[in-house]
Amino acid sequence: MLVDTHCHLHFDAFDPDREAVIQRALDFGVKSLVNVGTDPKTNRQALELSRTYPFMAATAGLHPHHAHEISEEGFKDFETFVTQNPPVAIGEIGLDYVKSQSPPETQKTTFARMLDLAARRNLPVIVHSREAFEDTLAILRSEARGKLRGVMHCFSYDRDALKKVLDLGFLVSFTCNVTFKNASALLEVARTAPLDRIMLETDSPYLAPQIYRGKRNEPCCLTHLADFLSEERGIERTVLEETTTRTAAEFFGLSLPS
Ligand SMILES: [Zn+2]
Ligand SMILES: [Zn+2]
């Protein structure tokens, strides 16, 4: 049994055939899914999916690309939403310096506020960080150290960065981008990261594996990532599966189907 620890099945990309996508995930052994919110609208959509499908969980977050869209009132509404509908994590939140409409200073302020909220509500965090490692680390060190459990999702930095993230007590999750042809450095990180500190995700609809590159990704492709990584690491697929599934269940507090 696999858990897709980060996907966006509530996104419009799945409107035409969501039922079929969900059925394929189940058929391929992906028995639990975490739908990750990125702004007030998608937070609500993720919550609604988790109400319809008991094997799905929802998070509530504010993606760095949306950091500049939220007003003071919006922060209050966010906290009210989280209080009334407790998510399994706060996220995705973080910093993304690749072609973002949100200025870095705005992203940093929003990120810090979200970490503070997660700490007060005793919720783990899902951190998104792209080409912003030093700033992400600095904020996590001052705002999260010792106070928060977290995962840096779609981990795409080097081995030195991995060590710094693990030293914070955080987990990392790997996406199908480790299967890309040009990802040898990242693959080396994914191959050597401690097995009990990693989780698997698809980030669907993004980042389809190499064999489907450029197409829409979907949770059933997690099985491809699990096959690929267990082979690369030279371990039994069942060992990878059981370990990462246990980690995910503990991290998000999921009750998994037996
Ligand atoms: Zn992300
Ligand atoms: Zn995502």
Side-chain angles (χ1 to χ4, degrees):
M1 182 203 312
L2 288 164
V3 182
D4 190 347
T5 62
H6 187 122
C7 59
H8 306 281
L9 274 190
H10 47 298
F11 279 11
D12 299 351
F14 295 107
D15 282 353
D17 59 345
R18 187 168 288 108
E19 277 298 326
V21 168
I22 292 166
Q23 191 55 52
R24 266 197 296 281
L26 293 170
D27 291 347
F28 278 84
V30 183
K31 302 288 190 200
S32 178
L33 305 163
V34 179
N35 284 307
V36 173
T38 53
D39 68 0
K41 180 179 162 215
T42 61
N43 292 338
R44 185 155 289 285
Q45 289 170 332
L47 172 71
E48 278 162 15
L49 267 189
S50 71
R51 284 180 173 159
T52 310
Y53 301 96
F55 52 91
M56 294 189 191
T59 75
L62 196 58
H63 192 285
H65 284 335
H66 297 290
H68 63 300
E69 293 167 6
I70 195 152
S71 61
E72 208 43 50
E73 201 57 34
F75 277 112
K76 284 198 198 112
D77 291 346
F78 183 90
E79 183 141 9
T80 305
F81 177 80
V82 166
T83 307
Q84 289 172 348
N85 312 285
V88 293
I90 297 293
E92 52 191 302
I93 54 174
L95 303 175
D96 189 328
Y97 294 166
V98 183
K99 292 187 203 154
S100 186
Q101 305 274 317
S102 285
E105 287 312 313
T106 310
Q107 292 191 27
K108 286 190 216 171
T109 309
T110 301
F111 183 30
R113 289 183 75 161
M114 289 285 146
L115 291 171
D116 173 64
L117 185 151
R120 285 189 284 108
R121 306 224 69 87
N122 200 22
L123 288 166
V125 292
I126 299 175
V127 174
H128 168 111
S129 177
R130 239 177 122 208
E131 293 191 17
F133 184 71
E134 292 308 324
D135 285 356
T136 307
L137 187 71
I139 292 174
L140 288 178
R141 279 181 171 158
S142 68
E143 303 291 327
R145 188 190 282 278
K147 288 186 276 186
L148 274 176
R149 293 181 302 122
V151 58
M152 191 173 281
H153 105 93
C154 190
F155 189 83
S156 304
Y157 295 121
D158 64 14
R159 202 197 291 235
D160 183 48
L162 174 73
K163 184 177 182 308
K164 289 172 178 163
V165 172
L166 295 179
D167 284 348
L168 283 172
F170 271 44
L171 306 173
V172 295
S173 59
F174 291 105
T175 314
C176 301
N177 64 347
V178 302
T179 69
F180 290 177
K181 270 200 208 109
N182 57 356
S184 57
L186 177 60
L187 178 56
E188 189 51 32
V189 176
R191 201 187 269 136
T192 52
L195 185 61
D196 61 349
R197 304 291 300 279
I198 69 175
M199 298 194 290
L200 306 180
E201 56 160 310
T202 62
D203 206 7
S204 302
Y206 310 114
L207 298 171
Q210 179 67 39
I211 45 166
Y212 304 120
R213 193 147 182 201
K215 301 217 172 76
R216 183 186 71 175
N217 198 7
E218 59 173 82
C220 72
C221 290
L222 199 67
T223 192
H224 179 75
L225 178 63
D227 286 341
F228 180 86
L229 260 188
S230 51
E231 197 175 319
E232 287 289 337
R233 294 180 66 112
I235 57 173
E236 293 289 331
R237 152 84 190 240
T238 49
V239 173
L240 181 92
E241 195 167 320
E242 280 166 16
T243 311
T244 55
T245 295
R246 197 181 323 121
T247 303
E250 280 172 17
F251 181 79
F252 291 109
L254 306 172
S255 47
L256 298 175
S258 45

